Amino acid sequence: MNKKIIVTGGCGYIGSHTVIELIKNNFQVVIFDDLSNSSQDTIGRIESITGVRPVFEQVDLKDVNHTSQVILKHKNAFGVIHFAAHKAVGESVQKPLDYYQNNLYSLLNTLKAQHENGIQNFIFSSSATVYGNPKSLPITENNQTQRPFSPYGNTKKMAEEILEDFSKAYTDFSAISLRYFNPIGAHESGEIGELPNGIPNNLMPYITQTAAGIREKLMVFGNDYDTTDGTPIRDYIHVVDLAKAHVKALFRLIENKQEQALETFNLGTGNGFSVMEVIESFERVSGIKLNYEIVGRRPGDVPQLFAATDLAHHKLGWKAELGLDEMIDSAWRWEQKYRATTTAK
């Protein structure tokens, strides 16, 4: 069995955790990353956890020629797991062309180069944003996809459509698209975790940075939704559980168990937690009282999003195992360890 896997965006948050799980399962990993929203230090952190240093290629996947050259070097790979993308929802609204250019060009160039080199397997990092404002809950894979509220989300929807067309045109191509709900948490070692550039767009790093004194206070966007406590409900999933799902998807490709050329799976816990429940969990786990303020709703936010995960359980043999307190505890340990390390330097 060919166990060489290319991981684009492998120095990023979800990519780096997936690289660790791949190495634990004896895969030979090659990371492609342009380091635009990540650090090469992550390679050393992965090595300290696994004892294995993955091969690293610094490559801008928007550059079609460079992409072709680097994939040619690794044309004996079994497949590609594609994380490389800009991912800040708010920024995508302000800079839509940057997002369409980066997220779609990188996908197109990767697909073109891997196809030219006979690499016919692909796992795509998608998002629950492709469902838009769902008409029913929990969200199943049969829910109709809709125009997402942000250019970021729309790049994920468009990417899935590109993969669908590509898999119809080339019958030897196999792809799995994994639709994430809300990844949080960090590796149990505290060596890697979520480290956004600038002001965080996601709830969990904003919470931990507020607790660490990096941010003055946490803004809670709206408490007048039709939910138990008025704050929006989301399906939070531990990033390590998410990473393990990619390994399960990869084995599905290796074992040739696909029932169609492009398959899609929801990745969540199947449970929703409100923003206030997440805050209360953090305060309980950390023993720290958070400084937060209730402000107006954020445009585009929907009241509730949570997944039905039966299909991933049945077809991939995967199920989320870690609970909310474990997610929050690991995220806080990562934040503390990272700040202690950088302060020491």
Side-chain angles (χ1 to χ4, degrees):
M1 181 178 66
N2 182 359
K3 300 202 81 171
K4 184 175 184 177
I5 306 298
I6 295 168
V7 180
T8 73
C11 289
Y13 174 45
I14 302 171
S16 60
H17 285 83
T18 301
V19 167
I20 288 169
E21 294 305 317
L22 288 167
I23 291 171
K24 283 169 65 176
N25 282 272
N26 300 313
F27 286 96
Q28 179 190 350
V29 178
V30 181
I31 291 175
F32 288 7
D33 206 302
D34 67 358
L35 304 178
S36 61
N37 193 32
S38 58
S39 168
Q40 197 170 340
D41 290 348
T42 303
I43 305 291
R45 293 173 181 270
I46 291 169
E47 184 180 16
S48 72
I49 292 167
T50 64
V52 176
R53 191 172 186 86
V55 175
F56 174 68
E57 300 278 5
Q58 186 167 351
V59 54
D60 180 359
L61 296 175
K62 298 190 301 298
D63 183 328
V64 64
N65 293 323
H66 194 196
T67 302
S68 294
Q69 290 166 10
V70 178
I71 286 185
L72 177 62
K73 284 175 61 178
H74 301 284
K75 67 179 182 178
N76 61 332
F78 172 80
V80 174
I81 303 180
H82 186 66
F83 295 101
H86 292 338
K87 63 174 187 176
V89 171
E91 184 183 59
S92 79
V93 174
Q94 298 164 354
K95 301 176 180 178
L97 293 185
D98 288 356
Y99 272 69
Y100 286 118
Q101 181 184 45
N102 184 78
N103 293 6
L104 296 180
Y105 279 16
S106 63
L107 172 68
L108 292 168
N109 292 340
T110 300
L111 287 174
K112 182 174 185 292
Q114 73 170 84
H115 179 68
E116 288 171 349
N117 287 283
I119 304 171
Q120 304 299 355
N121 297 284
F122 193 85
I123 295 173
F124 180 60
S125 167
S126 192
S127 167
T129 58
V130 302
Y131 294 115
N133 191 353
K135 293 182 174 60
S136 62
L137 291 167
I139 299 169
T140 75
E141 290 81 355
N142 292 325
N143 275 56
Q144 188 68 40
T145 59
Q146 302 179 52
R147 173 65 161 86
F149 296 106
S150 69
Y152 159 74
N154 206 32
T155 65
K156 295 297 185 183
K157 182 173 182 291
M158 292 170 73
E160 287 196 355
E161 291 166 354
I162 289 166
L163 288 170
E164 185 178 1
D165 290 342
F166 195 80
S167 62
K168 286 176 181 175
Y170 302 103
T171 55
D172 54 354
F173 178 75
S174 297
I176 293 176
S177 183
L178 301 175
R179 294 172 175 169
Y180 313 157
F181 279 69
N182 291 70
I184 62 173
H187 191 267
E188 63 184 2
S189 65
E191 287 294 325
I192 61 169
E194 189 171 10
L195 187 66
N197 284 347
I199 298 172
N201 286 276
N202 297 329
L203 176 62
M204 199 65 240
Y206 215 115
I207 285 176
T208 58
Q209 289 190 18
T210 301
I214 310 298
R215 307 291 159 198
E216 182 185 352
K217 62 182 162 182
L218 170 71
M219 302 298 181
V220 176
F221 296 103
N223 66 344
D224 57 351
Y225 288 95
D226 185 18
T227 61
T228 50
D229 58 27
T231 61
I233 289 174
R234 295 293 182 265
D235 189 340
Y236 296 96
I237 176 172
H238 199 299
V239 67
V240 173
D241 277 334
L242 194 65
K244 289 177 179 178
H246 291 77
V247 178
K248 293 283 191 180
L250 184 56
F251 276 114
R252 185 168 175 83
L253 291 172
I254 290 168
E255 294 164 6
N256 200 25
K257 289 184 175 178
Q258 279 189 288
E259 295 164 13
Q260 55 196 51
L262 172 63
E263 294 183 327
T264 57
F265 297 98
N266 288 341
L267 297 182
T269 64
N271 298 309
F273 294 97
S274 73
V275 173
M276 285 309 303
E277 285 175 321
V278 175
I279 289 172
E280 288 161 8
S281 175
F282 178 84
E283 291 182 338
R284 182 174 63 254
V285 167
S286 68
I288 294 172
K289 189 74 176 171
L290 274 176
N291 183 24
Y292 66 87
E293 179 183 353
I294 307 290
V295 296
R297 293 187 182 190
R298 189 168 51 183
D301 276 349
V302 297
Q304 297 189 61
L305 287 173
F306 56 93
T309 61
D310 300 2
L311 194 65
H313 183 51
H314 179 60
K315 302 286 187 184
L316 298 180
W318 171 88
K319 194 171 185 180
E321 297 175 347
L322 299 168
L324 182 63
D325 284 2
E326 291 167 298
M327 302 180 208
I328 287 172
D329 180 57
S330 64
W332 179 228
R333 277 189 283 114
W334 150 249
E335 184 76 48
Q336 290 176 294
K337 189 166 185 176
Y338 177 77
R339 297 301 165 189
T341 304
T342 52
T343 302
K345 289 179 180 177

